[in-house]
Amino acid sequence: MPSDARILVVDDHVEMGRMLQEPLADAGWTVDLATGGQEALTLIRSRVYDAVLTDLRMEKVDGLDVLDAARQVDPELPVLLMTAFGGVESAVEAMRRGAYHYFTKPFRLDEVRLYLGRALEDRRLRAEHRALKSQERSGLGALVGRSGTMRGLYELIDRVAHAAAPVLLRGESGSGKELVARALHLEGPRAPGPFVAVNCTALPGPLLESELFGHVKGAFTGATSVRRGLFVEAHGGTLFLDEIGDMPTELQARLLRILEDGEVRAVGSDASRTVDVRVVAATHQDLEARVKEGRFRADLFYRLNVVSLRVPSLKERREDIPQLVEHFTARSRARNPRSRVTSLSPEVVAALGAMPWPGNVRELENLVERLVVLVPRETVTLEDLRPHAPVPSAEEASPLTQAQEGVWTLRKLEGEYIHWMVQHCGGNKTRAAELLGIDVSTIHRRERER
């Protein structure tokens, strides 16, 4: 239940308003009191509220007028009405105008707290959902992280997005290569066009050929209709080829031909069709090694590798973990509205920052969602985390322990210890600086040097 909300209570009987104000304030909410409808209208138009609880029958400006004014200022502002004159007609009219709930006096205070809590929670979830939708619609906005590594990637995306050449994305599985591909699409001139993605590992050669290039009716057994193919579907936009290193060699030749002349021919057809598609390919494999092994065409590699971007692993940007955790918690709550989890404790975030993350950002997201679904309390603790992840002890996570495995310079040890302390404080650099007895600017400078 959100505890930092601001609520407006409206009642022209001052004693009644104060009777509601005190217990609601005791619940942790900030409560303003308006002693009439006209005062309520002034407050609603001058301050931001998270919910309004108003009497229905008031002189001059009644509760329905307050409801209408609140809906005009903020269509999603929950308004709850109360009246001593219960009636089906007034309740129906209030709900028709958008009231969240309707109380008939006398009512129990715990009932008011319950429905106010629900209204505030619904409002918060809608805000989270709206924020996530906004992030999904924007290119760079979908990428989370403020580390120097990620800022460098953002700058490259901004420059490369407006080019026409193919792009090769390199990085470990789960590091977010498809998000980068979408950002390249949405930040460039092809944003109005389609973004089409296919995983080259997910389909066997013949099916992948038909998926990419299309087929005519009767081209092979089971081809009972015409299929356009993903290159045609992506015309005017971007085609993302994930795990390009696993594409069969016979299809690599066809892909190279399309990249060179911009024409695609469906399976079983003699006619070619011109397409305008930007190809963004991705791989977690060493393509140079596969070229030497004869498993990937050298000419296709050179054609795809005109522009190459490396997507960092999560281990390389641990300072982004607190922000990623916050982002994934909000997203998971939006998908699981019955969850009680609202946050992960600083100790949990620090422990997550010390883990190896072989599955990268995808593994972190899956773990956060598992915690949001299964933990039956508002704040996730270390004890909640232990059944789901190997939580290292402070000694195991310390750079002093890691330094025993090899010889470190004093400067490297100092830099790693500063970095570890920031993670230990859940990404709070001000707190880390206080514990270390240094200035925050020193932490920023040492992070740039890492």
Side-chain angles (χ1 to χ4, degrees):
M1 181 183 297
S3 60
D4 57 348
R6 179 179 286 273
I7 297 169
L8 177 63
V9 173
V10 187
D11 202 307
D12 55 1
H13 292 88
V14 178
E15 295 80 9
M16 184 65 179
R18 287 176 179 165
M19 187 189 77
L20 288 166
Q21 185 181 28
E22 293 179 5
L24 295 180
D26 290 341
W29 298 318
T30 300
V31 183
D32 293 344
L33 178 60
T35 57
Q38 190 59 55
E39 184 182 355
L41 298 188
T42 302
L43 289 172
I44 287 171
R45 290 162 182 161
S46 61
R47 297 181 184 176
V48 176
Y49 289 99
D50 298 295
V52 176
L53 177 62
T54 180
D55 193 16
L56 178 62
R57 295 286 184 91
M58 295 182 291
E59 293 184 6
K60 295 183 180 179
V61 178
D62 65 13
L64 292 179
D65 295 326
V66 173
L67 169 62
D68 291 341
R71 301 283 294 176
Q72 288 176 3
V73 172
D74 181 356
E76 291 187 358
L77 178 61
V79 178
L80 298 84
L81 289 104
M82 50 190 177
T83 182
F85 305 93
V88 175
E89 293 81 8
S90 59
V92 169
E93 180 62 12
M95 302 306 285
R96 186 188 68 79
R97 295 199 193 184
Y100 184 85
H101 194 68
Y102 185 94
F103 299 102
T104 301
K105 299 176 183 178
F107 46 74
R108 301 201 316 269
L109 288 175
D110 57 353
E111 182 184 15
V112 175
R113 283 194 292 262
L114 173 66
Y115 279 96
L116 268 174
R118 288 181 180 176
L120 293 170
E121 184 69 0
D122 288 347
R123 179 175 173 82
R124 189 185 64 78
L125 288 174
R126 282 197 299 270
E128 287 182 355
H129 182 71
R130 192 164 52 249
L132 289 171
K133 283 294 184 183
S134 176
Q135 287 182 336
E136 290 170 0
R137 286 195 295 270
S138 63
L140 289 174
L143 298 171
V144 178
R146 306 188 189 99
S147 63
T149 304
M150 290 302 290
R151 287 197 300 269
L153 179 61
Y154 300 154
E155 292 174 4
L156 288 173
I157 290 172
D158 188 55
R159 292 205 300 268
V160 173
H162 296 273
V167 179
L168 180 62
L169 302 178
R170 298 172 181 257
E172 296 178 9
S173 295
S175 57
K177 295 187 291 295
E178 182 168 347
L179 284 178
V180 173
R182 289 183 181 275
L184 287 167
H185 171 73
L186 292 171
E187 296 295 327
R190 293 178 177 269
F195 177 89
V196 180
V198 62
N199 189 311
C200 298
T201 306
L203 299 171
L207 284 180
L208 180 60
E209 181 181 30
S210 173
E211 187 78 2
L212 288 173
F213 312 121
H215 62 253
V216 299
K217 184 177 180 179
F220 50 82
T221 303
T224 57
S225 60
V226 174
R227 176 167 180 78
R228 296 194 306 167
L230 297 183
F231 268 99
V232 174
E233 290 185 16
H235 179 72
T238 302
L239 178 61
F240 175 56
L241 302 175
D242 198 9
E243 299 302 347
I244 188 71
D246 292 326
M247 178 177 281
T249 52
E250 62 271 16
L251 298 188
Q252 294 174 24
R254 295 198 62 181
L255 175 59
L256 177 63
R257 178 65 62 87
I258 294 173
L259 292 175
E260 290 179 339
D261 59 24
E263 293 186 349
V264 61
R265 188 173 63 200
V267 177
S269 174
D270 295 328
S272 295
R273 179 171 180 173
T274 301
V275 290
D276 173 24
V277 174
R278 186 188 196 183
V279 170
V280 177
T283 183
H284 74 281
Q285 300 181 13
D286 184 344
L287 286 189
E288 289 88 345
R290 292 181 75 83
V291 168
K292 291 179 181 178
E293 296 166 358
R295 301 172 66 184
F296 200 84
R297 292 179 62 106
D299 45 6
L300 177 59
F301 170 71
Y302 296 133
R303 190 73 182 83
L304 289 172
N305 201 39
V306 175
V307 177
S308 180
L309 298 183
R310 183 174 172 277
V311 182
S313 67
L314 188 55
K315 296 187 292 291
E316 298 173 85
R317 55 185 192 106
R318 292 182 184 273
E319 55 266 49
D320 291 329
I321 287 179
Q323 188 183 359
L324 286 164
V325 167
E326 183 179 357
H327 173 76
F328 292 144
T329 301
R331 173 183 285 181
S332 298
R333 278 193 55 79
R335 288 198 291 249
N336 302 278
R338 297 182 64 182
S339 170
R340 296 181 61 186
V341 173
T342 59
S343 64
L344 279 62
S345 73
E347 293 78 14
V348 170
V349 176
L352 296 179
M355 291 180 188
W357 300 116
N360 288 290
V361 179
R362 185 184 298 125
E363 182 185 3
L364 174 62
E365 180 177 12
N366 291 340
L367 175 59
V368 170
E369 180 154 20
R370 191 154 63 247
L371 294 171
V372 168
V373 170
L374 296 177
V375 173
R377 60 186 61 84
E378 291 186 359
T379 302
V380 177
T381 66
L382 277 177
E383 291 307 309
D384 298 320
L385 178 63
R386 292 186 195 281
H388 305 285
V391 181
S393 66
E395 182 179 278
E396 292 171 333
S398 170
L400 296 174
T401 303
Q402 300 172 29
Q404 295 174 7
E405 301 174 2
V407 178
W408 282 10
T409 66
L410 184 59
R411 186 166 185 79
K412 177 174 175 59
L413 182 59
E414 178 186 283
E416 291 299 321
Y417 187 70
I418 289 174
H419 178 67
W420 174 80
M421 183 59 77
V422 172
Q423 299 305 309
H424 185 69
C425 294
N428 188 328
K429 296 176 184 177
T430 301
R431 176 61 178 156
E434 290 175 355
L435 293 174
L436 292 168
I438 60 177
D439 191 80
V440 177
S441 61
T442 302
I443 293 182
H444 290 298
R445 185 174 67 253
R446 296 310 300 271
E447 284 187 340
R448 290 194 297 270
E449 294 172 356
R450 285 185 85 239

